[in-house]
Amino acid sequence: MLDRKKIIKIEVTSPAGRKLVVAEKDSFSFPRLFINDMPVSNIIIIKGKELPEFEIDKNLYVITYMKNGDRLRYPAAVRMSLPDQLNVQLRSDYGTLMEERRRYFKVDADIECSVLGFMRGEDEFYEFEEPVLATIKNISIGGVFLFHVDCDFAPGDSILLNFEIEGEYVDIMAKILRIQRNNQGGIDGYGCQFENADPAQEELFAQFVYNVQLRKRIEQMERDEQLAEAMQRVKGNENQS
């Protein structure tokens, strides 16, 4: 079943998989329409500029990028096609989960974090008298990499983390999966997997990942535009000379 609230990006592709249209979160919607007096909720309206135009009823595929990192692929058909709007109707009961090389997308971060305590094996949870400070250097929906941790942990330890993300404070248990060491053998940091993330926390992490990715895309577009303008100026100077 299509969960529209958890979709953060949409791609429209040809049946062979060629990417045709990409729509970010604010450029598509799922309006409630009526066709032959029957309510329809599986039509996506994509807004944009200079969109490719397709024949009505043309068969395509729609890939939905979900907040938890999944990608779902649906057969679809074109219902309206204009340079500034594309309406496609999904076969929402025929979605298939696409295989991923990586289950979760991680992004670089610089988030102050406190380790409040830890548990080793079957021992009881040990709470630190003073929180151990650390820095989250990257994060995904599934876990974090902790850097500058002034404490020795072992793979398999469970630690209680506290940090602020997207304006909210999170307390969450994470298991130490790996230790990253430097050339001198010292500990650089710990790769950790979240153990008890609830849906609200997963949504916070997913929103942070999405915002970072979006910001990077915007910055890249701005750099590309500046480069194109600079090349145009150089070309104009060459023509004048």
Side-chain angles (χ1 to χ4, degrees):
M1 191 68 181
L2 187 66
D3 194 343
R4 295 171 291 174
K5 293 182 180 179
K6 295 185 178 182
I7 298 173
I8 59 175
K9 188 174 80 169
I10 283 173
E11 287 181 357
V12 180
T13 75
S14 69
R18 184 166 62 89
K19 191 183 300 184
L20 302 171
V21 177
V22 177
E24 301 290 348
K25 189 174 182 180
D26 295 330
S27 59
F28 64 85
S29 61
F30 288 83
R32 187 173 178 83
L33 303 175
F34 287 85
I35 297 179
N36 296 327
D37 295 327
M38 296 293 293
V40 176
S41 59
N42 61 340
I43 289 182
I44 304 176
I45 294 181
I46 298 172
K47 294 296 185 71
K49 295 180 179 179
E50 299 181 357
L51 296 173
E53 295 187 56
F54 305 101
E55 296 179 358
I56 303 303
D57 294 330
K58 181 177 177 61
N59 291 322
L60 299 170
Y61 278 90
V62 169
I63 299 173
T64 60
Y65 286 69
M66 313 304 290
K67 288 182 177 179
N68 66 357
D70 286 341
R71 292 190 305 157
L72 298 171
R73 188 170 184 253
Y74 296 91
V78 175
R79 293 293 174 247
M80 187 178 80
S81 183
L82 298 170
D84 61 353
Q85 181 173 325
L86 173 64
N87 294 7
V88 291
Q89 186 170 14
L90 307 186
R91 297 285 299 276
S92 54
D93 293 335
Y94 289 85
T96 56
L97 181 64
M98 300 180 70
E99 292 185 4
E100 301 291 350
R101 287 174 298 193
R102 191 184 202 105
R103 178 64 175 83
Y104 298 115
F105 301 102
K106 67 178 181 181
V107 295
D108 292 336
D110 189 18
I111 302 172
E112 294 181 357
C113 175
S114 298
V115 184
L116 305 181
F118 79 102
M119 184 169 62
R120 179 165 293 169
E122 299 298 324
D123 294 343
E124 293 184 4
F125 179 78
Y126 176 79
E127 184 176 357
F128 296 131
E129 291 184 5
E130 294 290 337
V132 174
L133 301 181
T135 302
I136 294 173
K137 296 306 291 182
N138 63 54
I139 186 170
S140 72
I141 302 173
V144 294
F145 180 76
L146 291 182
F147 190 64
H148 288 157
V149 187
D150 190 19
C151 191
D152 290 339
F153 297 112
D157 287 352
S158 293
I159 58 178
L160 176 58
L161 305 178
N162 173 268
F163 55 92
E164 183 182 5
I165 190 167
E166 294 296 304
E168 297 191 29
Y169 282 93
V170 172
D171 287 324
I172 190 167
M173 294 294 294
K175 179 175 287 188
I176 305 290
L177 296 184
R178 63 182 178 87
I179 300 174
Q180 181 169 304
R181 298 184 181 274
N182 55 37
N183 294 333
Q184 290 73 41
I187 296 175
D188 272 343
Y190 299 93
C192 309
Q193 180 181 32
F194 295 137
E195 293 189 291
N196 62 340
D198 60 38
Q201 290 171 333
E202 287 186 343
E203 184 147 346
L204 281 176
F205 304 150
Q207 189 62 51
F208 179 83
V209 170
Y210 173 79
N211 287 341
V212 171
Q213 291 176 321
L214 179 60
R215 190 159 56 246
K216 286 184 176 180
R217 284 196 291 270
I218 292 173
E219 290 172 353
Q220 184 61 52
M221 289 173 60
E222 290 175 347
R223 287 194 294 269
D224 291 345
E225 289 178 359
Q226 291 172 359
L227 179 60
E229 290 174 358
M231 293 179 66
Q232 190 65 34
R233 287 195 297 269
V234 170
K235 186 176 180 181
N237 292 336
E238 290 177 348
N239 291 337
Q240 290 177 2
S241 61

